[in-house]
Amino acid sequence: MEVSEKEMLRRLSNCLITNEKLIYPVFGAVKRQQAKLSSKAADMAYIALTSLDRLLLYRFDEYSSYVEFYTFDTLMMGDVSATGSGQYIIELSFLTEKGTKDIQIVYPSKVNGRDFPHQEINASLLYTEIDMKIG
């Protein structure tokens, strides 16, 4: 699968419901929550907020892809941080039908060698927006 801003917008837009809009889409990674895998195992992901106050994760690897949605009215707790090297880390816990779902998202301020011209501004704005939601 091509990894670019154009492809990210196409994939994320296909996941929206009527009249919903993407807000601050970025390319990054979401840590896997499986006990048997290395603690560093992660899926590449297209990440965005939506105008309906949802967090949209389009997770993918070389074999498959799937979509996850979370609404901020089910947010139990969260934390955001930025590293000196330009990485953003977002840790969120949502209440779901199956209990608590913990999510760790990591994304860079710049994507080297890939076509993501809006990554830097969207990365900063996404960080700020989520910080306000959990603050």
Side-chain angles (χ1 to χ4, degrees):
M1 176 168 82
E2 175 188 350
V3 178
S4 67
E5 184 171 291
K6 181 179 176 183
E7 183 65 12
M8 173 179 68
L9 295 174
R10 186 178 77 77
R11 299 278 179 162
L12 290 173
S13 293
N14 286 338
C15 301
L16 298 175
I17 58 178
T18 304
N19 296 325
E20 189 174 32
K21 305 273 189 263
L22 293 173
I23 302 172
Y24 314 132
V26 297
F27 172 70
V30 179
K31 185 177 175 183
R32 293 184 190 161
Q33 297 294 317
Q34 298 171 343
K36 293 183 179 181
L37 293 176
S38 162
S39 63
K40 295 182 181 181
D43 293 318
M44 290 185 285
Y46 297 140
I47 304 142
L49 297 177
T50 76
S51 57
L52 296 179
D53 205 29
R54 299 192 307 163
L55 174 66
L56 170 58
L57 305 175
Y58 182 92
R59 297 169 69 152
F60 61 97
D61 60 22
E62 61 271 16
Y63 306 107
S64 63
S65 65
Y66 62 98
V67 178
E68 295 177 59
F69 295 97
Y70 299 94
T71 58
F72 281 92
D73 61 349
T74 63
L75 182 68
M76 296 174 58
M77 56 187 280
D79 187 41
V80 296
S81 58
T83 68
S85 62
Q87 293 281 331
Y88 294 98
I89 302 168
I90 298 174
E91 297 176 278
L92 303 168
S93 292
F94 291 94
L95 184 60
T96 70
E97 298 167 350
K98 298 178 181 179
T100 303
K101 173 70 174 181
D102 297 324
I103 301 167
Q104 184 177 26
I105 299 167
V106 179
Y107 60 93
S109 58
K110 294 181 183 177
V111 181
N112 295 328
R114 305 271 186 171
D115 183 24
F116 286 91
H118 298 99
Q119 179 83 7
E120 188 170 8
I121 187 68
N122 283 350
S124 176
L125 292 170
L126 179 65
Y127 172 84
T128 301
E129 184 75 18
I130 291 179
D131 188 35
M132 288 189 316
K133 289 181 180 300
I134 63 177

